[in-house]
Structure formats: structure tokens, C-alpha cells
Amino acid sequence: MPETLESVLRGDWKFFAALSGIALVLGGLMFATLPALTDGMAGNPEMVEMMTAYSAYGY
């Protein structure tokens, strides 16, 4: 086990930086595609009805 948190960060900073970068890119892609996904669903009246009725069956 490493002695301190500082020793872990000193040795693995490149790994953590790459992991953070990948997460940022994936989050950005998901955020960018969200309007396209919701636009396709909102135009469909059957989908809107299904989504509003679904909450009646929960809990």
C-alpha cells in the first residue's frame, strides 16, 4: 500500500488525467446528442402518452 495520497498522485497523475479527459469527452458527446434524442421523442404523440402514463405504474 502507498504511504500517502501524495505518493499515489505523484506516480499516477498521467493515468488520472487521461481518465478525466475520457470522461469529459464522453460527457460532452452525451450532452451534445441529447437534443437530437429528445427532439425525436417529443414529436411523437404516442411516446409522450406512454411517458406520462408510465409514472402511474411506479411505486
Side-chain angles (χ1 to χ4, degrees), residues 5-30:
L5 180 62
E6 185 179 339
S7 66
V8 171
L9 293 178
R10 187 175 346 145
D12 295 334
W13 71 270
K14 290 180 184 178
F15 171 72
F16 291 129
L19 197 62
S20 297
I22 291 169
L24 184 67
V25 168
L26 288 176
L29 287 174
M30 288 173 36

Side-chain angles (χ1 to χ4, degrees), residues 21-42:
I22 291 169
L24 184 67
V25 168
L26 288 176
L29 287 174
M30 288 173 36
F31 187 75
T33 58
L34 187 63
L37 292 174
T38 56
D39 207 24
M41 287 184 203

